[in-house]
Amino acid sequence: MLSLKKYLTEGLLQFTILLSLIGVRVDVDTYLTSQLPPLREIILGPSSAYTQTQFHNLRNTLDGYGIHPKSIDLDNYFTARRLLSQVRALDRFQVPTTEVNAWLVHRDPEGSVSGSQPSSGLALESSSGLQDVTGPDNGVRESETEQGFSEDLEDLGAVAPPVSGDLTKEFPADISSLTEAVPSESEPPGLQNNLLSPLLTGTESPFDLEQQWQDLMSIMEMQAMEVNTSSEILYNAPPGDPLSTNYSLAPNTPINQNVSLHQASLGGCSQDFSLFSPEVESLPVASSSTLLPLVPSNSTTLNSTFSSTNLAGLFFPPQLNGTANDTAGPELPDPLGGLLDEAMLDEISLMDLAIEEGFNSVQASQLEEEFDSDSGLSLDSSHSPSSLSSSEGSSSSSSSSSSSSSSSSASSSASSSFSEEGAVGYSSDSETLDLEEAEGAVGYQPEYSKFCRMSYQDPSQLSCLPYLEHVGHNHTYNMAPSALDSADLPPPSSLKKGSKEKQADFLDKQMSRDEHRARAMKIPFTNDKIINLPVEEFNELLSKYQLSEAQLSLIRDIRRRGKNKMAAQNCRKRKLDTILNLERDVEDLQRDKARLLREKVEFLRSLRQMKQKVQSLYQEVFGRLRDENGRPYSPSQYALQYAGDGSVLLIPRTLADQQARRQERKPKDRRK
DNA sequence: ATGATCTGTCATGAG
DNA sequence: GCCTCATGACAGATC
């Protein structure tokens, strides 16, 4: 059997290679597509497989594409298809560009507010600390910082370049804050851009914090294992706490450059808000938040992090002493900052894909090899012969096939193939003669279908049956049974006597127990007829012969067992098909899940962009404001704030700062 | 030799 | 009641 498989496998491969050499393209997709209907029919079973056995539909018309549902070829087939679909899915998935805006901002130690919120778990942002005191080489790295500020960084492990005050000046609006607790004494004074500090102080998400947090949790839960592992590595997170790692950095924690970069990106997300963005303002939540008045009682949880009601609190350090420029603002949690972290989201998305689509490197390499093969066949053809040999489809559609489908147990096959006698296309006269001689029973006919099937399965059998050699090449096994009815075949004339005995033995082995019994009982017709004839014809057939009670009993048993055998095969096929369908459903659901996750990532990214836009607009508006003397307002002394009617007010910084503090307390109280 | 799997068979119930 | 089919369970065959 194995040797025959190998034989056919090699033959198939060689044939494919030949096709390739002569320019005939073997298209994998076409191959699979064209294979699918018959294969699916095999798997699902032709209509007859799920219905009553149709006597007039006995022949298997699967055109040789039959693959036994339990055959390894079927697994290979679906594996290949799944891999193909996964590869194609890669086209659809656009890996988001990772944009990391790294800003190292130091907080004034007086920012006690920040110290009071380390447990928030969210990104703590420096409100005023724009001074870069990460190292003495700040100036040297300024240029690259600026460059890194605008360019997309794909490598999250990249070192975050320090940011100098000049640089911030250059990019006051687009601040991706890094929350770091840096000792104040290390901060060089006078390196502050107050305009930036409110951005760093906190941003208000247009979405509900709780919702965002739940969304994040849902994402993280789905990717708990993988995200946990990777995030720990990537973000230097404490084990088991990827969220806090992503969103916060404990105060007084020395700056880890890798972490700093990531934190910077988080901050960048968090600082964006929709103050001036029409699109964002149109959002219900955003508009509601922006309309919040200065009254402290109206401040919400979001205000602490995205205080649109108090723009001063956002854009200015909450703590303004005499040298406000030197102070760092409180670190406020930013719910969206972490959510919008592209690096995290990308990773989630990618890992989700990797997990849910089950596309690992091994499979990819295997698939690649398959596609790289000269044959052009992506399917593992090494098993194809077995699939041909075990034509499950025949069993499902015809009674004859049911007996023959069990190739390995051909010796125990219950019935000869009534329909396949002709379907096989085998027309060995000698065979008929030998069988009749061996049987000694009138009307008993050999099972040519089994010959054919065995010829597929065992090359040795094929070789010992030279007259069967053609079976492997022609496909006349689908011919009408009547055309090749063995009973009508003339005796062979060219068969050698030496092979006759082998054939007889072989046929004898191929006979099922019931066939042996029938022969022993001298039943005058084939088991196929016994099993597959409609009851009326069956009774009519019985009436034509004078049969003993024992013979009649045996015939009934043969019929019952034969039908039950087919029923069992169909039943098992259905069971297997159900499993396969469920498997496909699971895969589909996993793909949907991955797609939804990708969409969510895109939405969050879009939100971040809008917030950045608003941020820049704020900078622009504030920068154009002039006092009565024509001088610009100091960001440390004034801030913009939304009024309840939607207008924007310029209010003193102290007032804004007070409000910001109130808004910070609210969420804390809520948590209590 | 042994366990897993395949396959045929029986018993039973339903249509 | 008979026939057929579906299916769980079992056992032998096969891998």
Side-chain angles (χ1 to χ4, degrees):
Chain A
M1 202 73 73
L2 292 177
S3 57
L4 179 57
K5 288 182 180 179
K6 183 180 178 182
Y7 171 81
L8 291 176
T9 297
E10 293 175 355
L12 183 59
L13 287 174
Q14 291 170 0
F15 180 70
T16 304
I17 293 171
L18 282 175
L19 287 177
S20 300
L21 291 176
I22 64 176
V24 176
R25 180 171 178 265
V26 182
D27 190 297
V28 176
D29 291 349
T30 305
Y31 176 81
L32 290 176
T33 303
S34 62
Q35 294 291 309
L36 186 57
L39 181 63
R40 183 177 183 82
E41 191 178 32
I42 293 166
I43 299 164
L44 299 177
S47 57
S48 60
Y50 298 96
T51 59
Q52 304 286 328
T53 300
Q54 300 298 317
F55 179 76
H56 301 291
N57 185 22
L58 297 176
R59 288 193 300 116
N60 175 19
T61 57
L62 295 177
D63 297 332
Y65 290 125
I67 295 179
H68 195 287
K70 293 181 180 179
S71 171
I72 188 172
D73 306 302
L74 195 62
D75 295 336
N76 292 330
Y77 174 84
F78 281 104
T79 299
R81 280 198 66 82
R82 187 175 65 250
L83 293 177
L84 278 173
S85 65
Q86 289 167 353
V87 169
R88 293 183 186 121
L90 294 178
D91 295 336
R92 298 191 294 270
F93 172 58
Q94 300 295 331
V95 178
T97 303
T98 301
E99 180 181 354
V100 178
N101 298 325
W103 290 82
L104 298 181
V105 182
H106 297 283
R107 183 190 56 204
D108 192 302
E110 294 180 6
S112 58
V113 177
S114 65
S116 63
Q117 284 188 329
S119 62
S120 64
L122 298 175
L124 302 179
E125 298 171 356
S126 172
S127 61
S128 63
L130 297 176
Q131 303 82 357
D132 177 33
V133 291
T134 55
D137 58 341
N138 292 341
V140 178
R141 304 178 66 174
E142 179 178 344
S143 59
E144 53 184 273
T145 300
E146 179 178 348
Q147 182 180 359
F149 181 80
S150 59
E151 69 181 8
D152 294 340
L153 300 178
E154 295 183 357
D155 185 2
L156 293 177
V159 175
V163 178
S164 66
D166 293 339
L167 178 61
T168 60
K169 291 177 181 177
E170 293 182 14
F171 299 92
D174 189 4
I175 293 296
S176 299
S177 70
L178 167 66
T179 299
E180 274 300 332
V182 179
S184 62
E185 50 270 21
S186 64
E187 298 182 8
L191 295 178
Q192 177 223 12
N193 185 337
N194 285 329
L195 189 57
L196 294 173
S197 57
L199 294 175
L200 300 173
T201 302
T203 57
E204 181 170 1
S205 169
F207 299 107
D208 181 69
L209 173 62
E210 299 283 340
Q211 181 61 42
Q212 290 295 331
W213 190 249
Q214 290 176 0
D215 291 343
L216 175 66
M217 291 302 294
S218 64
I219 294 175
M220 300 306 290
E221 286 174 0
M222 285 184 286
Q223 309 300 332
M225 297 297 294
E226 294 74 12
V227 171
N228 197 1
T229 303
S230 61
S231 63
E232 290 173 13
I233 300 171
L234 190 61
Y235 305 140
N236 193 21
D241 190 9
L243 292 177
S244 61
T245 303
N246 291 333
Y247 290 102
S248 67
L249 197 62
N252 303 322
T253 300
I255 293 177
N256 178 302
Q257 288 188 330
N258 290 337
V259 174
S260 298
L261 178 59
H262 182 66
Q263 294 295 330
S265 69
L266 292 173
C269 299
S270 64
Q271 291 161 7
D272 308 327
F273 65 96
S274 58
L275 181 59
F276 298 107
S277 175
E279 311 98 71
V280 178
E281 286 179 1
S282 64
L283 295 175
V285 180
S287 61
S288 64
S289 62
T290 55
L291 292 177
L292 286 175
L294 293 171
V295 180
S297 62
N298 288 334
S299 56
T300 62
T301 303
L302 289 175
N303 293 337
S304 63
T305 59
F306 194 83
S307 177
S308 62
T309 63
N310 187 348
L311 295 177
L314 291 172
F315 287 77
F316 292 85
Q319 300 183 1
L320 292 174
N321 51 22
T323 58
N325 291 344
D326 294 341
T327 61
E331 296 176 351
L332 300 178
D334 184 357
L336 278 179
L339 284 172
L340 296 177
D341 179 25
E342 292 189 34
M344 183 194 72
L345 294 174
D346 289 348
E347 180 154 342
I348 291 171
S349 182
L350 286 173
M351 284 187 293
D352 183 75
L353 288 177
I355 295 165
E356 299 184 5
E357 300 195 7
F359 199 81
N360 57 41
S361 58
V362 176
Q363 289 174 314
S365 61
Q366 291 175 349
L367 187 66
E368 188 173 280
E369 291 177 2
E370 291 173 352
F371 278 113
D372 288 342
S373 75
D374 293 336
S375 66
L377 289 174
S378 63
L379 290 174
D380 185 1
S381 58
S382 62
H383 301 286
S384 57
S386 63
S387 66
L388 292 174
S389 62
S390 58
S391 60
E392 176 66 17
S394 61
S395 66
S396 63
S397 62
S398 67
S399 62
S400 62
S401 61
S402 65
S403 64
S404 59
S405 63
S406 59
S407 58
S408 60
S409 61
S411 60
S412 61
S413 295
S415 63
S416 62
S417 297
F418 177 78
S419 63
E420 289 184 21
E421 289 175 356
V424 169
Y426 170 62
S427 60
S428 171
D429 298 337
S430 62
E431 189 62 36
T432 304
L433 180 61
D434 293 340
L435 284 170
E436 289 181 352
E437 291 174 356
E439 291 170 359
V442 178
Y444 191 83
Q445 299 167 1
E447 300 176 17
Y448 300 100
S449 61
K450 290 180 180 175
F451 267 111
C452 179
R453 201 161 283 105
M454 286 303 296
S455 68
Y456 266 111
Q457 298 159 355
D458 192 346
S460 63
Q461 299 289 351
L462 189 66
S463 60
C464 72
L465 298 174
Y467 49 88
L468 290 178
E469 288 178 354
H470 71 282
V471 172
H473 303 291
N474 72 34
H475 300 275
T476 57
Y477 46 76
N478 283 321
M479 290 174 59
S482 59
L484 294 171
D485 194 327
S486 60
D488 299 334
L489 294 176
S493 58
S494 61
L495 192 63
K496 296 179 180 179
K497 289 186 177 179
S499 61
K500 287 184 179 179
E501 295 178 357
K502 293 181 180 179
Q503 295 162 20
D505 294 340
F506 170 67
L507 289 174
D508 201 59
K509 290 179 181 177
Q510 295 304 302
M511 291 172 62
S512 66
R513 285 172 288 182
D514 276 339
E515 286 165 345
H516 281 290
R517 294 190 193 106
R519 189 168 63 176
M521 294 287 289
K522 297 185 181 348
I523 304 298
F525 29 81
T526 66
N527 283 23
D528 267 338
K529 288 181 178 176
I530 294 174
I531 296 169
N532 297 312
L533 279 177
V535 63
E536 292 182 2
E537 296 182 33
F538 175 69
N539 292 330
E540 185 178 353
L541 180 66
L542 295 181
S543 64
K544 292 179 181 177
Y545 298 88
Q546 284 286 41
L547 299 171
S548 64
E549 193 61 32
Q551 282 178 317
L552 288 174
S553 177
L554 176 62
I555 288 171
R556 292 192 196 96
D557 285 343
I558 288 172
R559 184 175 176 88
R560 175 179 50 80
R561 283 192 289 263
K563 288 188 175 299
N564 185 252
K565 186 173 74 174
M566 290 185 294
Q569 289 169 345
N570 289 336
C571 181
R572 285 163 179 152
K573 191 191 305 176
R574 272 191 298 271
K575 197 179 294 183
L576 180 62
D577 180 63
T578 300
I579 294 172
L580 293 175
N581 284 333
L582 289 174
E583 193 177 73
R584 274 192 291 269
D585 292 343
V586 170
E587 292 174 356
D588 292 342
L589 290 174
Q590 287 175 340
R591 272 190 288 272
D592 292 342
K593 180 182 170 185
R595 177 180 54 79
L596 292 173
L597 278 173
R598 287 194 295 269
E599 291 178 0
K600 183 170 186 176
V601 169
E602 291 300 322
F603 287 143
L604 291 175
R605 184 172 294 117
S606 175
L607 174 63
R608 195 203 66 163
Q609 292 173 353
M610 287 189 292
K611 290 171 69 179
Q612 287 178 339
K613 195 174 179 180
V614 171
Q615 178 182 326
S616 63
L617 286 172
Y618 178 94
Q619 300 294 335
E620 184 177 352
V621 170
F622 191 89
R624 292 185 181 182
L625 292 177
R626 296 293 183 271
D627 59 11
E628 59 276 8
N629 297 325
R631 291 176 297 187
Y633 287 97
S634 171
S636 62
Q637 296 177 356
Y638 294 95
L640 293 177
Q641 185 187 42
Y642 271 132
D645 58 356
S647 63
V648 179
L649 302 178
L650 184 69
I651 62 173
R653 172 71 188 186
T654 53
L655 183 61
D657 190 41
Q658 290 175 1
Q659 246 190 340
R661 289 176 182 173
R662 291 194 203 102
Q663 292 160 1
E664 293 166 11
R665 294 191 196 106
K666 286 249 172 181
K668 288 184 179 179
D669 296 339
R670 281 188 181 182
R671 290 179 188 133
K672 292 176 183 176

